Coordinates of all heavy atoms in Angstrom, one line a residue:
M1 N -90.5 67.2 81.3 CA -89.6 68.2 80.6 C -89.4 69.4 81.5 O -90.3 69.9 82.1 CB -90.4 68.6 79.3 CG -89.6 69.6 78.4 SD -90.5 70.1 76.9 CE -90.3 68.5 76.0
S2 N -88.2 69.8 81.6 CA -87.8 70.9 82.4 C -88.2 72.2 81.7 O -88.4 72.2 80.5 CB -86.3 70.9 82.7 OG -85.6 71.4 81.6
P3 N -88.2 73.4 82.5 CA -88.5 74.6 81.8 C -87.4 75.0 80.7 O -87.8 75.5 79.6 CB -88.5 75.6 83.0 CG -88.8 74.8 84.2 CD -88.2 73.4 83.9
C4 N -86.3 74.6 81.0 CA -85.2 74.9 80.0 C -85.4 74.1 78.7 O -85.3 74.6 77.5 CB -83.8 74.8 80.5 SG -83.3 75.9 81.7
T7 N -88.5 75.6 76.8 CA -88.2 76.8 76.0 C -87.4 76.5 74.8 O -87.4 77.2 73.7 CB -87.6 77.9 76.9 OG1 -86.4 77.4 77.5 CG2 -88.6 78.3 77.9
A12 N -86.8 76.1 68.9 CA -86.5 75.3 67.8 C -87.7 75.1 66.9 O -87.6 75.3 65.7 CB -86.1 73.8 68.3
T13 N -88.9 74.9 67.4 CA -90.1 74.8 66.6 C -90.3 76.2 65.9 O -90.7 76.1 64.7 CB -91.3 74.4 67.5 OG1 -91.0 73.2 68.2 CG2 -92.6 74.3 66.7
I16 N -88.0 76.4 63.0 CA -88.4 75.5 61.9 C -89.5 76.1 61.1 O -89.5 76.0 59.8 CB -88.6 74.1 62.5 CG1 -87.4 73.5 63.0 CG2 -89.3 73.3 61.4 CD1 -87.7 72.2 63.9
R20 N -89.7 78.4 56.8 CA -90.6 77.8 55.7 C -91.7 78.8 55.3 O -92.4 78.5 54.4 CB -91.2 76.5 56.3 CG -90.2 75.3 56.3 CD -90.8 74.1 57.0 NE -90.0 72.9 56.8 CZ -88.8 72.8 57.5 NH1 -88.3 73.7 58.3 NH2 -88.1 71.7 57.3
L21 N -91.9 79.9 56.0 CA -92.9 80.9 55.6 C -92.4 82.1 55.2 O -91.3 82.6 55.7 CB -93.8 81.1 57.0 CG -94.4 79.9 57.6 CD1 -95.3 80.3 58.8 CD2 -95.5 79.1 56.5
A27 N -96.5 86.5 59.9 CA -97.2 87.4 60.7 C -98.6 86.9 61.0 O -99.1 87.0 62.1 CB -97.3 88.7 60.0
L29 N -99.6 83.6 60.9 CA -99.6 82.5 61.8 C -99.3 83.0 63.3 O -99.9 82.5 64.3 CB -98.5 81.6 61.5 CG -98.3 80.3 62.4 CD1 -99.6 79.5 62.4 CD2 -97.2 79.4 61.9
V34 N -101.2 83.7 68.8 CA -101.4 84.6 70.0 C -102.9 84.6 70.3 O -103.2 84.5 71.5 CB -101.0 86.1 69.6 CG1 -101.5 87.0 70.6 CG2 -99.5 86.2 69.5
Q35 N -103.9 84.7 69.3 CA -105.2 84.6 69.7 C -105.5 83.2 70.3 O -106.4 83.2 71.3 CB -106.1 84.8 68.4 CG -107.5 84.7 68.7 CD -108.4 85.0 67.5 OE1 -107.9 85.2 66.4 NE2 -109.7 84.9 67.7
T39 N -107.1 83.0 74.0 CA -108.4 82.3 74.2 C -108.3 81.0 75.2 O -109.1 80.9 76.1 CB -108.9 81.7 72.9 OG1 -109.1 82.9 72.0 CG2 -110.3 81.1 73.1
L40 N -107.2 80.4 75.1 CA -107.0 79.3 76.1 C -106.8 79.8 77.5 O -107.3 79.2 78.4 CB -105.8 78.4 75.7 CG -106.0 77.6 74.4 CD1 -104.6 76.9 74.0 CD2 -107.0 76.5 74.6
S44 N -109.2 78.9 80.7 CA -108.6 78.5 81.9 C -109.0 79.4 83.2 O -109.3 78.8 84.2 CB -107.0 78.4 81.8 OG -106.5 78.1 83.0
A45 N -109.0 80.7 82.9 CA -109.3 81.7 84.0 C -110.8 81.4 84.3 O -111.3 81.4 85.5 CB -109.1 83.1 83.5
Q46 N -111.7 81.3 83.3 CA -113.1 81.1 83.5 C -113.4 79.8 84.4 O -114.2 79.8 85.2 CB -113.8 81.1 82.3 CG -115.3 81.1 82.5 CD -116.2 80.9 81.2 OE1 -115.6 80.7 80.1 NE2 -117.4 81.2 81.3
A48 N -111.3 78.3 86.4 CA -110.9 78.6 87.8 C -111.9 79.3 88.6 O -112.2 78.9 89.8 CB -109.5 79.3 87.8
C51 N -115.0 77.1 89.1 CA -114.7 76.1 90.2 C -114.7 76.6 91.6 O -115.2 76.0 92.5 CB -113.2 75.5 89.9 SG -112.8 74.1 90.9
E53 N -116.4 79.3 92.6 CA -117.8 79.6 92.9 C -118.4 78.3 93.3 O -119.2 78.3 94.3 CB -118.4 80.3 91.7 CG -118.0 81.7 91.5 CD -118.6 82.3 90.2 OE1 -119.3 81.6 89.5 OE2 -118.3 83.5 90.0
C58 N -120.7 74.7 97.6 CA -120.7 73.4 98.3 C -120.3 73.6 99.8 O -120.8 72.7 100.6 CB -119.8 72.5 97.6 SG -120.4 72.0 96.0

Side-chain angles (χ1 to χ4, degrees):
M1 179 178 290
S2 75
C4 290
T7 57
T13 302
I16 290 167
R20 288 172 170 73
L21 302 177
L29 180 60
V34 166
Q35 182 179 356
T39 301
L40 290 172
S44 178
Q46 183 182 18
C51 185
E53 288 175 354
C58 292

